[in-house]
Amino acid sequence: MKLAPLFYGITTGLLVGASTVLMTTPKSGMEVRSSLKSSSNDFRDKLLDIKLQLADVKSSINNLTNSSKEVIPSAIEDIKSSLAQWKNETAPIQALLQAEISSIQEAMAELEKKLPKKKEVAV
């Protein structure tokens, strides 16, 4: 599809529409110019506000990035050391529990040997 005819059509439509609005407006030329000037000033002020807000957002992102580069590695190291300490503290308890489970299983096996076997009833 060729874009040139579309572009010419849109431009022509905009020019015809703008001239029609200017010719049929109930305001005088001076009022229209002052209104356009006021609108352009408001638009410029809003763009400036947006620009300042974007600069603030960019600054906040940079600060967050810099602080996260410092905080995250130390937090990871703290978590690793806490996990290692927890493993060291729970290792003896885990071994004790494993030994108790083994002794319970052995006791159950001995009880099963001592109990008389049930005779199966033929159906």
Side-chain angles (χ1 to χ4, degrees):
M1 181 174 146
K2 295 183 179 179
L3 295 178
L6 178 65
F7 178 72
Y8 291 135
I10 290 173
T11 304
T12 304
L14 286 173
L15 290 174
V16 169
S19 62
T20 303
V21 167
L22 286 176
M23 296 298 176
T24 60
T25 184
K27 295 180 182 179
S28 69
M30 182 180 254
E31 290 174 338
V32 171
R33 284 191 297 273
S34 70
S35 175
L36 288 174
K37 188 174 184 180
S38 173
S39 296
S40 67
N41 288 338
D42 290 343
F43 184 70
R44 190 178 314 126
D45 290 342
K46 288 179 183 178
L47 283 178
L48 182 61
D49 287 342
I50 290 171
K51 184 179 177 182
L52 292 174
Q53 289 175 357
L54 286 176
D56 288 343
V57 168
K58 184 179 177 183
S59 174
S60 297
I61 289 172
N62 287 335
N63 290 338
L64 180 64
T65 302
N66 292 335
S67 64
S68 67
K69 285 180 182 177
E70 297 170 2
V71 171
I72 290 176
S74 65
I76 289 173
E77 288 302 318
D78 289 345
I79 291 171
K80 284 181 180 179
S81 67
S82 295
L83 183 61
Q85 181 181 0
W86 177 78
K87 282 183 179 180
N88 289 337
E89 290 174 357
T90 58
I93 297 170
Q94 185 179 10
L96 180 63
L97 288 174
Q98 290 292 337
E100 287 181 12
I101 290 172
S102 295
S103 67
I104 291 172
Q105 287 175 341
E106 289 173 5
M108 286 178 58
E110 288 178 21
L111 283 174
E112 286 176 354
K113 288 179 184 176
K114 291 180 182 179
L115 288 175
K117 294 184 180 179
K118 289 185 179 180
K119 294 182 180 180
E120 291 185 24
V121 178
V123 187

